[in-house]
Amino acid sequence: MQDVFEKGQFTATSKWLHWLVALIVIPMVFGSFFLDDIPKLYRSDIIGLHKSLGLTILCLMIIRLINILIVGRPPLNIALWEKILSRVVQYALYASLILMPLFGWAMSTAAGRPPNFFGLVVLPFPGITPDKALSRLLFVAHHYTAFVIIGLLFLHVSGAFKHLLIDRNGVMASMLPSRRQ
Ligand code: HEM
């Protein structure tokens, strides 16, 4: 298993999954607070896109979790407290990036508007029927989880830049494209 992490690098699959999720999540988590401000003409299309991208994140996160469980990750050569903190933040991010789309998906189904995945197939959340009170409750969960994700992203990005700029170790580089020799 050791040579999978040649030079302490994450595998190419892990890197692709990491940056693809980041590319979708960052605009979604910050931009979605303005969904109400979108002109009526485009609003339902944009919310439809939001739902499809959210379900895409759910799929990517499940694949990422399975990938980490099977392949693992390169060893982290940093202080124990930093190792513990970074793992806690990473696992909390995984959990919230799986819970967030589940809340959104269940909320939309309970509101009677299940997602139509990129216009291809309508996907109601299994076992959920229209229920206004449940939909309101899930909206609150969806709303607050966004702030948890923002807080965790702040810690995660700060840690990455501390490794890059202050410690100048290879932690940030391990998730960047590796240079061909
Ligand atoms: C990681 C994935 C997701 C992120 C980061 C995300 C983020 C957000 C945020 C920040 C809001 C604004 C909350 C507010 O105004 O208080 C929102 C609203 C919403 N989200 Fe998500 N979401 C995700 C996945 C989903 C999914 C999978 C669905 C449904 C299938 C969904 C459906 C909705 C709906 C219906 C709204 C309310 C739109 C409105 O009426 O204003 N979201 N989302």
Side-chain angles (χ1 to χ4, degrees):
M1 189 60 68
Q2 201 54 34
D3 58 358
V4 173
F5 304 117
E6 220 182 320
K7 300 190 194 107
Q9 292 272 311
F10 276 89
T11 62
T13 312
S14 293
K15 291 181 189 180
W16 271 103
L17 287 168
H18 174 273
W19 292 109
L20 192 57
V21 168
L23 196 72
I24 307 174
V25 164
I26 292 169
M28 253 183 93
V29 79
F30 291 100
S32 302
F33 286 107
F34 305 100
L35 285 174
D36 277 343
D37 303 326
I38 293 170
K40 263 204 171 147
L41 185 62
Y42 309 109
R43 198 160 175 264
S44 81
D45 284 345
I46 302 283
I47 290 180
L49 182 65
H50 174 99
K51 293 180 184 180
S52 298
L53 289 174
L55 289 181
T56 306
I57 291 171
L58 178 62
C59 297
L60 291 173
M61 285 309 298
I62 291 170
I63 297 171
R64 184 149 164 65
L65 204 60
I66 294 171
N67 178 260
I68 293 276
L69 291 175
I70 295 175
V71 183
R73 21 164 136 225
L76 257 183
N77 298 317
I78 53 177
L80 184 64
W81 71 268
E82 279 191 286
K83 207 182 280 191
I84 294 171
L85 185 63
S86 93
R87 291 297 191 236
V88 167
V89 170
Q90 280 165 26
Y91 281 109
L93 256 179
Y94 289 160
S96 41
L97 287 177
I98 287 176
L99 281 175
M100 185 69 171
L102 287 176
F103 287 147
W105 184 13
M107 162 180 76
S108 302
T109 307
R113 289 189 291 272
N116 185 347
F117 190 66
F118 293 108
L120 299 172
V121 54
V122 177
L123 295 171
F125 194 102
I128 290 195
T129 48
D131 178 337
K132 268 197 173 165
L134 177 63
S135 161
R136 266 197 297 270
L137 188 72
L138 288 163
F139 177 78
V140 173
H142 199 63
H143 173 82
Y144 285 108
T145 310
F147 293 103
V148 172
I149 293 174
I150 290 170
L152 291 168
L153 280 178
F154 175 77
L155 291 173
H156 183 70
V157 174
S158 309
F161 277 96
K162 175 183 178 286
H163 291 306
L164 181 71
L165 303 173
I166 300 175
D167 304 331
R168 292 165 191 253
N169 55 25
V171 174
M172 176 78 134
S174 69
M175 194 43 104
L176 297 175
S178 44
R179 278 193 217 129
R180 290 178 199 282
Q181 304 291 323

